[in-house]
Amino acid sequence: MKTVLLSYFSAARSLSRPGILWHLMWPTLAAAILWTGLLVMNWATLVALGASLITAMPLVGGWLASSEGALLVALVMFKIGLVVLALPIIYVTAAFLVAAIALPLMAEKVAATDYADIARRGGGSQVGSVWNALTSVLQFLVLLVLSLPLWLIPGVGLIISLLLTAWLNQRAFRYDALMAHADKRELKALPTEQASGLFGVGLLGAVMAHVPLINLFAPALSGLAFVHYLLSALRVARHNDNIIEVK
């Protein structure tokens, strides 16, 4: 737990570096503007679709259609559901933008000062970063859809959301954190060796993602924490293997 917290303290310290703060904010702002705009433009259509789905429900659809009060309550719940559903979609979009674009740029700035002693072995690539981000997001969405029936159980939805977001964080950000410095073997082996710690970093980021205002910065801040955690782990691993760095 100590190393997890240290990675976030280091990430917060890195925010004072030129250009880092901008990359912290723009992915979430871009995702929020995109999906809020789409939601507003299609609101009437979505509500009409919701009304059709509600009244077509087996057993209770006819009763809801005949009761103005019950239908109104059902529509209000549907509208709340649309807004709630938009939040994870915004986070997922921001996480993709962080992993594919912002994090590699932030990692370069952080590594140049905090981890200049670690040799760069280029085991990853920008194409690999985008592919990793895309597959991570798609897998997350599949898991989210499969878990939706469980969200009907009170309290379970929050737990599932935290666990899935933690999984997405570590799956999407670990590649970018290591791609410039790790070789191909380290790029695969180190995340496996550090699996429990990486999940802890991802889980703390998931908690922040559920806190209003803080969630605006959660994807990029989590990504920065993964950079610090994994580059520190890479430094220790090479030291333990008695590897002489040649830069």
Side-chain angles (χ1 to χ4, degrees):
M1 187 62 186
K2 180 180 178 181
T3 53
V4 171
L5 293 176
L6 283 175
S7 68
Y8 276 94
F9 286 132
S10 298
R13 189 182 68 246
S14 297
L15 298 182
S16 61
R17 306 258 166 74
I20 295 292
L21 191 59
W22 167 241
H23 287 305
L24 185 77
M25 296 187 297
W26 77 259
T28 302
L29 291 175
I33 291 171
L34 171 65
W35 289 107
T36 301
L38 288 173
L39 188 62
V40 170
M41 288 188 294
N42 295 281
W43 184 256
T45 301
L46 291 171
V47 171
L49 176 62
S52 299
L53 292 174
I54 290 170
T55 54
M57 291 174 61
L59 301 179
V60 297
W63 172 73
L64 289 171
S66 62
S67 173
E68 184 176 343
L71 181 59
L72 180 62
V73 171
L75 280 175
V76 168
M77 297 300 295
F78 179 79
K79 292 175 183 178
I80 293 174
L82 286 177
V83 175
V84 171
L85 184 61
L87 297 178
I89 293 176
I90 289 172
Y91 184 89
V92 167
T93 305
F96 174 79
L97 294 174
V98 168
I101 304 173
L103 189 55
L105 297 174
M106 290 192 291
E108 283 292 321
K109 295 178 181 293
V110 170
T113 52
D114 292 359
Y115 304 98
D117 58 306
I118 302 178
R120 300 165 65 93
R121 300 192 173 169
S125 66
Q126 187 59 43
V127 173
S129 172
V130 174
W131 176 252
N132 178 71
L134 182 60
T135 55
S136 299
V137 166
L138 291 176
Q139 290 176 50
F140 171 85
L141 292 175
V142 170
L143 292 172
L144 180 65
V145 170
L146 292 176
S147 70
L148 286 179
L150 298 175
W151 288 56
L152 298 174
I153 305 173
V156 173
L158 177 60
I159 296 174
I160 291 175
S161 180
L162 287 171
L163 293 177
L164 287 181
T165 305
W167 178 88
L168 175 64
N169 286 341
Q170 62 87 26
R171 180 68 173 75
F173 299 145
R174 66 191 186 191
Y175 183 96
D176 302 272
L178 289 171
M179 70 178 190
H181 293 80
D183 58 31
K184 292 185 182 299
R185 182 194 64 81
E186 292 167 332
L187 197 58
K188 293 181 179 180
L190 196 60
T192 300
E193 296 168 2
Q194 300 290 330
S196 59
L198 291 178
F199 188 79
V201 178
L203 184 60
L204 185 52
V207 172
M208 293 192 302
H210 289 76
V211 179
L213 297 182
I214 294 178
N215 57 7
L216 295 175
F217 315 105
L221 189 60
S222 297
L224 262 182
F226 275 98
V227 170
H228 283 286
Y229 186 96
L230 281 168
L231 289 184
S232 295
L234 181 61
R235 175 189 282 155
V236 171
R238 289 185 180 175
H239 176 76
N240 291 340
D241 290 339
N242 295 317
I243 292 177
I244 299 175
E245 300 286 11
V246 178
K247 299 184 282 292

